[in-house]
């Protein structure tokens, strides 16, 4: 069984920074890409950022506007999210996600990276709270 373990969440003041990390453990799995989503109560899970290992391309939700940076290591199945200039509206539970390499896509190497059900593995989430 594959587990994704997130770390780095917490409480920060507006304008501050946090770095989230996610690592895969358990059964060895090859992934095509990894990403971060977030969710607040009563709302759907929202795409934050994603990375595709084959070319290193990164993608971000529109609200990020240059504040966040995703990075990672394909060989280690680890991904990080550096979040700067945090705002109270960034408060949410942040989830790490991974897409299995074995899962086929109509788009070849690529897949709808911002769509939650395109991912096969999920972490349990880490709370990020941004205060005024």
């Amino acid at each position: 069984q594959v587990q994704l373990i997130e770390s780095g969440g917490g409480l920060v003041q507006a304008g501050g920074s946090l770095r989230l990390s996610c690592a895969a453990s358990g059964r060895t799995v090859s992934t095509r890409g990894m990403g971060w989503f977030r969710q607040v109560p009563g709302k759907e899970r929202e795409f934050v950022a994603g990375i595709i290992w084959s070319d290193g391309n990164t993608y971000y939700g529109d609200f990020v506007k240059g504040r966040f940076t995703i990075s990672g290591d394909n060989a280690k199945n680890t991904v990080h999210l550096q979040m700067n200039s945090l705002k109270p509206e960034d408060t949410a539970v942040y989830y790490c996600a991974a897409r299995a390499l074995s899962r086929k896509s109509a788009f070849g190497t690529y897949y709808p990276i911002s769509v939650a059900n395109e991912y096969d593995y999920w972490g349990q989430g880490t709370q990020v709270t941004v205060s005024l």
Side-chain angles (χ1 to χ4, degrees):
Q1 185 176 355
V2 176
Q3 289 183 312
L4 300 182
I5 308 297
E6 300 108 334
S7 61
L11 174 64
V12 64
Q13 287 189 326
S17 299
L18 282 175
R19 179 178 169 85
L20 305 183
S21 295
C22 172
S25 65
R27 179 174 61 87
T28 301
V29 63
S30 296
T31 58
R32 189 173 297 282
M34 296 182 74
W36 291 94
F37 287 75
R38 69 184 189 182
Q39 191 169 25
V40 297
K43 291 192 175 182
E44 291 187 356
R45 200 161 288 192
E46 178 181 37
F47 174 70
V48 178
I51 184 168
I52 294 181
W53 299 127
S54 62
D55 55 15
N57 281 353
T58 57
Y59 304 85
Y60 297 93
D62 290 341
F63 67 89
V64 170
K65 298 187 187 302
R67 298 182 297 129
F68 299 175
T69 302
I70 188 171
S71 62
D73 186 327
N74 183 13
K76 297 180 180 179
N77 276 333
T78 58
V79 68
H80 309 284
L81 184 68
Q82 177 66 43
M83 303 187 294
N84 300 327
S85 302
L86 284 162
K87 306 174 183 179
E89 51 263 45
D90 293 318
T91 295
V93 177
Y94 284 70
Y95 295 91
C96 173
R99 181 178 173 100
L101 183 64
S102 60
R103 182 173 178 179
K104 298 192 182 299
S105 169
F107 307 98
T109 297
Y110 300 95
Y111 55 93
I113 199 168
S114 65
V115 179
N117 64 14
E118 293 289 335
Y119 292 82
D120 303 289
Y121 308 107
W122 290 86
Q124 292 190 330
T126 185
Q127 177 70 45
V128 171
T129 303
V130 184
S131 63
L132 289 170

